[in-house]
Amino acid sequence: EVTVDYRHGLPVITLMLPTRNERCRFTVKPVVTTVGEFLRDVQREDKGIERAEVFATDGSKISDTTLMEVLLMNDFKLVINNTAYSVSPPVKDKLSSEHATEMEDIKSLVHRLFVALHLEDHQIKKERELLQKLDHLKEELLPLEQMKARIMDSADAKTSRLLWVGLALMSTQGGALAWLTWWVYSWDIMEPVTYFITYGSAMAFYAYFVLTKQDYIYPHAKDRQFLHYFYRKSKKQHFNVEQYNKLKDDLAEAEESLRRLRQPLRLRLPIQEIRDKD
């Protein structure tokens, strides 16, 4: 059987080790020890234990992150290999309000000491991980950035050529209308022609609005044509735009995490030191 009793204010769990066939006592620090740590201690004591789990009385599994202090408040089942033990922890006497307050203060002090001792190491470890992630993302982005720059140069050149071709066509059209008006025909004949050309241009602009749901504004039209060339060129060059955007988002997220990690308040720097750094 598995028994629980209190000695010097700490719970002592006594159980039978299946391989060694002897009883062993485990002193638990309920405030800081978790269920997972207790089970790992049991398995380290007896290498023949392949399975060690804790279940509530209703059959639900207790998480390994649960504190032993919470577990010992109610009855539970301890499963070792294929054997289940019903454990009934003794009921502790209720603490007085002053003693309970004192215990809470001690817990808070222990927590602050733990944070003070391990915060710097945690921040250094986290910063190292973020820097490694940034280096990895930049290495992946470097060839994509180079390919993107080449594609953008090509798309920009094609867009510029298209704009110059449009200007040349408009100039040719104006010269042709002037030649037909003054040297071939008269204005009486050319006036209906220019009217229908103007009306056809208005229809073309209206069709652009129907298809794109945007007004025909020259900068917007230029950007739209640039994107058209960019995506068509990307498909030919096998440039994965979605992968590139995802890497850029991951890079921005990592840089933001690193910036927040390096904030002076997180590093607990004095105000004077913060001002000097600023």
Side-chain angles (χ1 to χ4, degrees):
E1 295 181 355
V2 179
T3 60
V4 180
D5 57 350
Y6 285 85
R7 296 185 180 182
H8 307 290
L10 294 176
V12 178
I13 301 177
T14 306
L15 54 88
M16 180 68 70
L17 298 178
T19 304
R20 296 163 54 178
N21 197 21
E22 61 182 6
R23 297 182 66 79
C24 184
R25 294 178 179 177
F26 295 89
T27 302
V28 178
K29 299 177 181 178
V31 179
V32 296
T33 305
T34 62
V35 173
E37 293 173 351
F38 166 69
L39 295 177
R40 285 191 290 271
D41 290 340
V42 174
Q43 289 179 314
R44 279 196 296 267
E45 191 67 27
D46 189 344
K47 301 299 182 181
I49 298 177
E50 298 178 355
R51 179 192 177 195
E53 295 176 322
V54 177
F55 294 88
T57 54
D58 59 357
S60 57
K61 188 178 183 300
I62 303 297
S63 173
D64 291 343
T65 58
T66 304
L67 290 175
M68 292 296 296
E69 183 181 23
V70 178
L71 178 66
L72 295 175
M73 290 180 179
N74 301 295
D75 296 346
F76 61 91
K77 291 183 179 180
L78 177 62
V79 178
I80 297 179
N81 290 340
N82 296 324
T83 306
Y85 302 94
S86 297
V87 185
S88 298
V91 180
K92 297 178 63 177
D93 296 334
K94 293 184 178 180
L95 300 175
S96 63
S97 59
E98 295 181 358
H99 189 54
T101 304
E102 183 179 355
M103 290 296 295
E104 290 298 329
D105 294 339
I106 293 175
K107 291 180 183 179
S108 177
L109 178 60
V110 171
H111 176 71
R112 290 199 298 270
L113 288 174
F114 179 83
V115 171
L117 292 174
H118 296 83
L119 178 61
E120 184 177 358
D121 295 337
H122 174 72
Q123 288 180 336
I124 293 175
K125 180 180 178 182
K126 189 66 177 177
E127 182 178 5
R128 188 181 298 112
E129 292 176 355
L130 288 174
L131 290 175
Q132 292 176 354
K133 183 178 181 180
L134 284 174
D135 293 339
H136 179 68
L137 290 174
K138 289 179 180 179
E139 289 178 1
E140 290 186 356
L141 276 171
L142 182 60
L144 295 179
E145 291 283 5
Q146 296 174 350
M147 184 180 295
K148 179 192 172 186
R150 292 195 298 267
I151 295 175
M152 288 184 65
D153 292 340
S154 176
D156 186 68
K158 287 185 177 181
T159 305
S160 298
R161 285 198 298 268
L162 182 63
L163 295 177
W164 283 106
V165 168
L167 178 61
L169 291 177
M170 292 180 66
S171 301
T172 303
Q173 182 187 38
L177 291 176
W179 178 69
L180 291 174
T181 301
W182 284 305
W183 282 278
V184 180
Y185 305 108
S186 64
W187 175 247
D188 295 336
I189 297 176
M190 293 303 299
E191 183 178 9
V193 176
T194 57
Y195 170 78
F196 283 109
I197 291 176
T198 304
Y199 186 76
S201 300
M203 291 180 60
F205 294 147
Y206 184 75
Y208 178 87
F209 171 77
V210 172
L211 294 175
T212 64
K213 304 299 185 296
Q214 294 179 352
D215 293 333
Y216 188 81
I217 302 175
Y218 290 116
H220 294 173
K222 177 179 178 295
D223 294 340
R224 187 179 184 86
Q225 193 63 36
F226 172 82
L227 291 176
H228 172 72
Y229 286 138
F230 178 81
Y231 279 98
R232 189 171 68 178
K233 188 72 173 180
S234 299
K235 188 175 182 180
K236 290 182 179 179
Q237 297 289 335
H238 303 288
F239 176 75
N240 194 334
V241 180
E242 295 181 356
Q243 180 186 3
Y244 173 80
N245 292 334
K246 184 179 182 303
L247 290 175
K248 292 290 286 186
D249 292 340
D250 294 341
L251 181 64
E253 183 180 355
E255 290 178 346
E256 177 64 18
S257 300
L258 184 61
R259 185 189 66 82
R260 290 186 301 176
L261 183 66
R262 289 175 172 176
Q263 285 180 353
L265 291 179
R266 285 185 175 269
L267 297 177
R268 301 189 176 187
L269 297 177
I271 296 178
Q272 185 63 37
E273 188 172 352
I274 295 175
R275 291 176 179 175
D276 292 343
K277 286 182 176 296
D278 291 341

